[in-house]
Amino acid sequence: MVRIGTSLPSRERYHGVLNAPHRAFLRSIGLTDLEIGKPLVAISVAWSEAGPCNIHTMTLSAYVKEGVRGGGGTPLAFPAMVVNDNIGMGSEGMRYSLVSRDLIADMIEAQFMAHAFDALVGIAGCDKTEPGTIMAMARINRPSIYLYAGSAEPGFYNGRKVTIEDIHEAVGAYLKGKISEEQLLELEKAVHPTYGTCAGLFTANTMASISEALGISLPGSASPVATSAKRIWYARESGAAVMRLLELGIKPRDILKYEAFENAIAVLMAMGGSTNAVLHLLAIAYEAGVKLELDDFERISRKVPLIVNMRPGGEYTMMDLDEVGGVPLVMKKLLEAGLIHGDALTVTGKTVKENLESYRYPNVPHDHIVRSVSNPFKKSGGIVILKGSLAPEGAVIKVAATNITRFEGSARVYDGEDEAFKGIESGEVKEGDVVVIRYEGPKGGPGMPEMLRVTAAIVGAGLEKVAMVTDGRFSGATRGPMVGHVSPEAAVGGPIAVVENGDKIIIDVENRRLDLAVPEDEVKRRLKNWSPRPPRYRSGLLAKYASLVSQASKGAVVLPIGI
Ligand code: FES
């Protein structure tokens, strides 16, 4: 049992004669004097039985409680919400996805602060639950540790490994008559065979990997699948570790320093993770009071090569990565090459270097999944930041998921995702087109819905020479020459608002450019004649969100007015 000092929020709220009313409620939930006298540890549990990603998190919380009790604390769990992206995808539901990230942070902050907890273990799985939970940790700045719920196992169909992006692309293939309805149904049944998050290196697994790189979760905790017994061990150990953090007085902002974000970006680039991580790291940095910018991603992307071979750009899943050594193996390669900070502090109370030195790596061949920096899969990082006349404040392309480094094409413009999907379905989109999908940004969407339905339809339809540019987002499962997060977005009068059908668009990855090849005067003339569209929503959550959210280049963080 650890020795904890007396300056705990719970002591002020629940100890002493005058706090009898507060204590009465702890007694009424069955706590004894001994338990009330111990540090109160919150376990925020992003839980929902409406999808596979977070259905098992309550079970994990029971194991976390064992670890907390063993370390001398009193654990109490509360829920956080979940939006399952794969279920919202391609519908109005997807507008709530990014919105839910900030909502989760708010929910955890409110419950934690209102009840005067001393420390936090945050359990999350699906895409937005992870950054939402870590944002809350940075915000409340009490000893905290993050526990990932774990990904699903991959499925098998016709002898080949399949994950959720296969079914999205199969819909495109079905629409083009390439596969039958029966084949589509068989794949649907095979694609996600267990509970847990999406199995490839999509957003959930990317953010889990990044949580290790940030130092906010235990080394090796990102990669074991949800069904693995290792999850139970990590749950118990996370409960014990948060008690050690409380004893040492280590808080999230002691860990989430600028160097930790540089480490996280390096891991993102080396692994070729989801473009969503750019938004989420900017948002976590904002909550931690760290000045992080798109240029930091660009700088690190130039020096960190792609050394990991994972879906959707590559071949392997999180389960495969776990078998060869998980995220610590990736970080070890980066540390050996001097590409991450070894002296950054982590939730073990030790540095990144100390963690990596004591980690037990399986002695198995791993070059097919993780290579050394001197022998990479690609020379530069998995994500590249583009700027230019079409995106003056920046845009993001995932080069890990495409071999195309330059694309010139004619704009095929759609005001919204639905129109674009119909354009592909009807055959309106042709080889050589750049599909522009606008009014889907943070304010315009609102919530930057992900365009997986459209990108998967392009891939599924076999349109190999079609690119996409949008002020919305991509799913982590997207592959192909797709540019997202175009800032400023159309809804606030960014240049993307005045692109016309047939305009030439140039995506130039080598030179980090995204340009509209239209004379500047003409763009200015069009912008002068442009007027904002009426908001899509006038009441409710989405209307509130649209009025407060910042641009993608700033992490699409919800900002209070006038502060
Ligand atoms: Fe939850 Fe993919 S939809 S992780």
Side-chain angles (χ1 to χ4, degrees):
M1 190 179 297
V2 296
R3 280 196 312 276
I4 312 285
T6 50
S7 61
L8 294 173
S10 67
R11 300 255 151 98
E12 285 181 31
R13 183 70 58 84
Y14 299 105
H15 293 201
V17 181
L18 299 184
N19 281 325
H22 303 143
R23 243 177 354 258
F25 262 30
L26 294 188
R27 292 191 192 286
S28 67
I29 58 170
L31 294 190
T32 62
D33 281 337
L34 185 65
E35 286 166 320
I36 294 170
K38 293 177 179 178
L40 278 191
V41 177
I43 304 172
S44 68
V45 191
W47 172 81
S48 163
E49 55 186 16
C53 317
N54 292 54
I55 199 166
H56 57 302
T57 48
M58 283 297 188
T59 311
L60 288 177
S61 100
Y63 293 114
V64 172
K65 285 178 184 174
E66 287 180 12
V68 170
R69 287 198 186 99
T74 296
L76 294 172
F78 56 71
M81 64 163 298
V82 180
V83 167
N84 286 108
D85 280 14
N86 186 56
I87 289 175
M89 196 71 73
S91 74
E92 189 172 19
M94 200 59 201
R95 302 195 192 287
Y96 289 89
S97 160
L98 187 59
V99 177
S100 74
R101 179 192 74 181
D102 297 67
L103 213 48
I104 289 161
D106 291 350
M107 286 175 78
I108 296 174
E109 175 197 343
Q111 294 176 96
F112 188 96
M113 299 306 289
H115 287 252
F117 284 104
D118 300 313
L120 171 65
V121 180
I123 307 174
C126 199
D127 301 13
K128 307 306 169 290
T129 63
E130 296 189 80
T133 299
I134 301 171
M135 284 162 73
M137 291 173 174
R139 204 184 280 178
I140 60 179
N141 200 31
R142 291 291 310 171
S144 301
I145 189 165
Y146 171 67
L147 173 67
Y148 182 45
S151 75
E153 297 172 24
F156 288 89
Y157 176 72
N158 280 349
R160 121 186 123 84
K161 210 177 261 184
V162 287
T163 61
I164 197 70
E165 99 269 25
D166 288 285
I167 191 71
H168 285 274
E169 291 178 8
V171 171
Y174 168 73
L175 288 172
K176 287 288 164 200
K178 293 181 173 182
I179 61 168
S180 68
E181 191 177 336
E182 289 69 36
Q183 287 172 309
L184 187 65
L185 181 63
E186 286 305 310
L187 183 60
E188 176 190 315
K189 289 178 183 168
V191 91
H192 197 101
T194 70
Y195 59 85
T197 60
C198 298
L201 188 63
F202 312 145
T203 305
N205 281 329
T206 300
M207 290 311 298
S209 306
I210 275 176
S211 73
E212 281 196 41
L214 282 171
I216 200 75
S217 64
L218 291 175
S221 62
S223 54
V225 288
T227 47
S228 159
K230 287 190 204 169
R231 281 275 145 234
I232 298 173
W233 184 86
Y234 275 112
R236 283 202 180 103
E237 195 49 36
S238 294
V242 84
M243 295 310 295
R244 289 195 293 273
L245 286 174
L246 203 48
E247 184 186 24
L248 295 168
I250 296 175
K251 301 190 180 105
R253 289 189 191 190
D254 300 325
I255 293 168
L256 299 172
K257 301 275 193 198
Y258 183 74
E259 290 71 22
F261 287 93
E262 287 197 312
N263 285 354
I265 297 170
V267 166
L268 171 66
M269 296 304 171
M271 294 184 74
S274 163
T275 51
N276 279 320
V278 177
L279 280 180
H280 300 328
L281 279 171
L282 289 169
I284 296 166
Y286 168 79
E287 299 291 356
V290 170
K291 194 168 179 298
L292 192 72
E293 297 181 335
L294 274 183
D295 290 344
D296 293 309
F297 290 82
E298 175 46 26
R299 176 173 49 79
I300 295 169
S301 155
R302 283 183 187 274
K303 63 177 187 181
V304 178
L306 180 74
I307 60 167
V308 176
N309 176 16
M310 286 180 72
R311 285 170 160 247
E315 295 168 66
Y316 296 98
T317 66
M318 205 60 168
M319 191 168 171
D320 300 314
L321 179 67
D322 190 57
E323 283 166 12
V324 299
V327 178
L329 178 65
V330 180
M331 292 180 69
K332 183 168 170 272
K333 303 276 183 193
L334 295 176
L335 184 68
E336 284 165 358
L339 291 172
I340 57 172
H341 303 280
D343 55 355
L345 183 64
T346 74
V347 285
T348 60
K350 298 184 182 148
T351 64
V352 164
K353 185 163 181 274
E354 288 168 335
N355 289 343
L356 295 178
E357 278 170 356
S358 60
Y359 193 77
R360 293 170 73 96
Y361 302 90
N363 189 17
V364 291
H366 57 250
D367 263 20
H368 56 301
I369 306 181
V370 182
R371 287 194 187 163
S372 63
V373 168
S374 57
N375 179 32
F377 291 102
K378 280 189 182 173
K379 283 202 181 95
S380 69
I383 289 176
V384 165
I385 307 298
L386 306 175
K387 284 190 182 173
S389 58
L390 190 50
E393 289 175 15
V396 178
I397 182 168
K398 184 170 170 178
V399 291
T402 177
N403 288 319
I404 295 172
T405 55
R406 185 181 167 90
F407 194 97
E408 279 187 37
S410 304
R412 176 78 59 181
V413 184
Y414 297 102
D415 289 346
E417 185 191 8
D418 279 349
E419 271 192 40
F421 189 74
K422 283 181 203 148
I424 295 158
E425 206 181 9
S426 69
E428 190 177 59
V429 174
K430 303 267 187 309
E431 298 282 7
D433 283 348
V434 178
V435 176
V436 175
I437 309 178
R438 63 190 178 195
Y439 295 103
E440 295 289 14
K443 282 181 184 294
M448 297 182 79
E450 292 180 356
M451 305 293 152
L452 179 58
R453 196 170 57 130
V454 176
T455 55
I458 290 173
V459 174
L463 291 167
E464 285 175 9
K465 293 198 185 94
V466 169
M468 192 175 112
V469 171
T470 179
D471 52 11
R473 285 184 297 136
F474 295 125
S475 159
T478 288
R479 60 194 174 101
M482 314 294 179
V483 181
H485 306 200
V486 169
S487 302
E489 63 179 304
V492 299
I496 192 172
V498 295
V499 179
E500 294 179 359
N501 279 332
D503 285 349
K504 191 163 133 196
I505 290 176
I506 305 165
I507 302 166
D508 181 354
V509 176
E510 284 293 304
N511 294 303
R512 287 12 190 190
R513 301 279 309 173
L514 177 64
D515 285 303
L516 179 62
V518 170
E520 215 180 311
D521 285 355
E522 170 60 11
V523 174
K524 275 191 190 149
R525 188 193 64 75
R526 291 184 195 173
L527 282 171
K528 220 170 156 192
N529 294 330
W530 175 85
S531 54
R533 304 181 130 211
R536 270 199 175 109
Y537 300 89
R538 295 197 172 272
S539 66
L541 176 61
L542 295 180
K544 263 188 270 185
Y545 179 85
S547 69
L548 296 173
V549 70
S550 64
Q551 288 296 284
S553 54
K554 305 282 180 217
V557 179
V558 174
L559 295 173
I561 291 173
I563 292 182

